[in-house]
């Protein structure tokens, strides 16, 4: 069989499996290179709800917990870019407390605040928003119309909880960066995601702990 594109090739194989009479535990799919076959195959077996295991293990970026951790570190590595934080909130990968704003509400307000990047810029932007709302927005910019002071303070409080996890300073130890990621997973990434995600979390945390306590 010939197909156009790797994803089409994988889909054809999976369609044959679903239509055939061969028990899944007797099926082995062999691919020539890990990239891009592994991640695409992992994504599609999840989408089609086909039980599967991978000899090399599941790629971390195909799990929700892995994607959340990558997004958190990408936000840190970008200098706390507001765009990265907005993506993380809108991805549905993070969650906040019952009395906190939703991730979507946090993303919307951060976008409205026009923060750019930089740790200090978040608090400064929220102070500026509150001042302009209290002053009636004398510059005529209606970007903050309908935004309440209480909403800004609630988002600022949530972000304060996240920033508490992040080490500060011009020189940060690797162990502290890893610790920030593990605390982020524990506090802001859901635990009721199913057996597969639970296994991914346990494996990922175990790996991070091993690196954190290594001597290099």
């Amino acid at each position: 069989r010939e197909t156009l594109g790797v994803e089409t090739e994988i889909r054809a194989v999976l369609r044959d499996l679903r239509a055939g009479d061969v028990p899944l535990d007797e099926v082995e799919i062999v691919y020539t290179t890990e990239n891009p076959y592994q991640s695409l195959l992992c994504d599609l077996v999840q989408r089609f709800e086909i039980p599967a295991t991978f000899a090399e293990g599941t790629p971390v970026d195909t799990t929700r917990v892995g994607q959340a951790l990558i997004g958190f570190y990408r936000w840190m590595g970008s200098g706390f870019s507001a765009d990265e934080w907005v993506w993380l909130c809108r991805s549905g990968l993070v969650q906040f407390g019952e009395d906190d704003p939703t991730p979507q509400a946090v993303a919307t307000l951060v976008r409205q605040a026009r923060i750019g990047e930089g740790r200090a810029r978040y608090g400064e932007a929220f102070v500026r928003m509150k001042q302009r709302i209290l002053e009636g927005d004398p510059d005529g910019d209606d970007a903050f119309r309908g935004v309440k002071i209480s909403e800004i303070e609630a988002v600022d409080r949530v972000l304060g909880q996240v920033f508490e996890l992040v080490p500060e300073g011009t020189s940060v130890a690797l162990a502290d960066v890893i610790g920030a990621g593990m605390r982020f997973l524990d506090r802001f990434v859901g635990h009721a995601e199913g057996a597969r995600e639970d296994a991914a979390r346990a494996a990922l945390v175990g790996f991070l702990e091993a690196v954190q306590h290594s001597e290099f």
Side-chain angles (χ1 to χ4, degrees), residues 121-198:
R121 294 284 298 276
Y122 287 78
E124 293 169 356
F126 295 144
V127 169
R128 187 167 59 250
M129 285 183 76
K130 289 190 287 186
Q131 288 177 339
R132 293 179 65 180
I133 290 171
L134 291 172
E135 293 169 358
D137 198 13
D139 296 331
D141 187 347
D142 62 355
F144 307 148
R145 183 175 296 173
V147 178
K148 299 178 181 178
I149 298 292
S150 59
E151 294 172 341
I152 300 173
E153 292 175 342
V155 171
D156 193 16
R157 183 179 65 253
V158 167
L159 278 161
Q161 294 171 0
V162 177
F163 276 118
E164 285 178 358
L165 309 179
V166 181
E168 294 188 72
T170 56
S171 179
V172 177
L174 175 61
D176 292 335
V177 175
I178 292 174
M182 290 193 293
R183 291 191 297 274
F184 175 77
L185 289 180
D186 185 58
R187 289 190 59 182
F188 297 106
V189 181
H191 287 260
E193 298 284 353
R196 181 175 180 274
E197 289 295 325
D198 288 343

Side-chain angles (χ1 to χ4, degrees), residues 26-130:
E26 296 181 8
V27 174
E28 181 178 11
I29 299 175
V30 181
Y31 40 84
T32 53
T33 59
E34 181 176 318
N35 186 28
Y37 282 96
Q38 187 187 50
S39 59
L40 284 173
L41 185 57
C42 187
D43 177 65
L44 289 170
V45 296
Q46 292 179 61
R47 197 179 307 173
F48 293 148
E49 298 183 344
I50 299 175
T53 57
F54 290 79
E56 309 89 345
T58 303
V60 65
D61 59 355
T62 63
T63 65
R64 290 177 58 81
V65 65
Q67 292 170 6
L69 183 64
I70 291 171
F72 176 68
Y73 280 141
R74 192 168 57 206
W75 175 61
M76 288 178 57
S78 68
F80 306 105
S81 164
D83 288 341
E84 293 289 353
W85 179 253
V86 167
W87 176 87
L88 190 57
C89 286
R90 289 180 174 171
S91 67
L93 297 172
V94 298
Q95 64 180 30
F96 305 125
E98 293 183 1
D99 297 328
D100 293 325
T102 65
Q104 291 291 339
V106 172
T108 298
L109 197 95
V110 168
R111 179 70 74 191
Q112 289 176 299
R114 301 171 184 172
I115 293 167
E117 62 182 49
R119 185 171 189 148
R121 294 284 298 276
Y122 287 78
E124 293 169 356
F126 295 144
V127 169
R128 187 167 59 250
M129 285 183 76
K130 289 190 287 186

